[in-house]
Structure formats: structure tokens, C-alpha cells
């Protein structure tokens, strides 16, 4: 069993910043990728940023240069620093963890944290 818990969402004005945190816990043998996805109103869930255990990163074009993903492997934590936020960044942000409990990798999701960018 793996628990994935996000925190750090909230209401912010356009141009502002927020930092999201995510912790994965449980009987985890190893985690490969960890990442952030988002789902805006009446939109499908989309990739925001992902990072591998080796430190490789990948970002959606819409957030490049504004968002930064980072990770603490020893703590099974991943972070998303969001700067210069825009109203179109408003969404529920979900954390994902590709975890191996000893019998293969499986993708686990958090419950999501709301980010609202509005004046």
C-alpha cells in the first residue's frame, strides 16, 4: 500500500508564486518517476512536470521557465515551485509516484490540491 499526499495549494494573485509538496509513503522498495499533473475546469488531466530518480526532468511547454520540479529521493518527496502564475494555471494539481513494492512498478496518485490564480 502506498499513500501519496499533496500540500501547498491555495489562492494566489496573477504573477504570484506557490510551492507544492508531495510525500509518498508505505512499504516502498523503490520509486522511479515522480511528477505533477493538473486538471482544470472542464479539461482533461495533463502533465505538468515529471522527474526520474536520476534527476532527469520533463515539463509541459506551457510551464517551461516558470515552474521547477525538484525531488528528495531519500524522503520520497517531490516539489513543484510555481512562479509567475497565470489564471490558466488554475486547476487541481495531482502528484504521481511510480513505485515498486517488490513486485513491479505501479503508478500511484494523490487526492489532489487546488490551485486558484485570480485577482
Amino acid at each position: 500500500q502506498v499513500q501519496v499526499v499533496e500540500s501547498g495549494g491555495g489562492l494566489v494573485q496573477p504573477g504570484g508564486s506557490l510551492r507544492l509538496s508531495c510525500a509518498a509513503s508505505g512499504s516502498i522498495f523503490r520509486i522511479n518517476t515522480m511528477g505533477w499533473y493538473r486538471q482544470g475546469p472542464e479539461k482533461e488531466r495533463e502533465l505538468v512536470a515529471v522527474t526520474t530518480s536520476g534527476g532527469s526532468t520533463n515539463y509541459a511547454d506551457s510551464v517551461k521557465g516558470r515552474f521547477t520540479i525538484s525531488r528528495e529521493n531519500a524522503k520520497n518527496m517531490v516539489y513543484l515551485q510555481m512562479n509567475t502564475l497565470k489564471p490558466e494555471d488554475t486547476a487541481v494539481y495531482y502528484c504521481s509516484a511510480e513505485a515498486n513494492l517488490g513486485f513491479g512498478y505501479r503508478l500511484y496518485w494523490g487526492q489532489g490540491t487546488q490551485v486558484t490564480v485570480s485577482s
Side-chain angles (χ1 to χ4, degrees), residues 3-119:
Q3 294 79 43
V4 179
V5 180
E6 307 98 335
S7 61
L11 173 64
V12 63
Q13 292 186 343
S17 298
L18 277 177
R19 186 181 190 231
L20 305 183
S21 300
C22 171
S25 61
S27 302
I28 300 171
F29 173 66
R30 187 181 181 90
I31 295 181
N32 186 13
T33 62
M34 296 188 78
W36 293 94
Y37 292 72
R38 68 185 181 188
Q39 187 166 12
E42 301 182 358
K43 294 182 179 180
E44 294 186 354
R45 190 174 298 190
E46 62 178 2
L47 169 72
V48 177
V50 292
T51 180
T52 67
S53 58
S56 298
T57 59
N58 187 35
Y59 294 91
D61 288 342
S62 59
V63 306
K64 284 181 180 177
R66 300 188 298 124
F67 291 10
T68 302
I69 189 170
S70 60
R71 180 169 170 175
E72 288 188 82
N73 288 330
K75 296 182 178 180
N76 290 336
M77 294 195 69
V78 66
Y79 308 93
L80 186 68
Q81 178 65 44
M82 305 185 293
N83 298 328
T84 320
L85 283 160
K86 304 175 181 179
E88 51 263 43
D89 294 318
T90 295
V92 178
Y93 283 70
Y94 297 91
C95 177
S96 68
E98 186 185 16
N100 189 341
L101 277 58
F103 44 84
Y105 284 95
R106 177 184 168 185
L107 194 61
Y108 296 87
W109 294 93
Q111 292 299 307
T113 184
Q114 177 70 46
V115 172
T116 302
V117 184
S118 175
S119 55

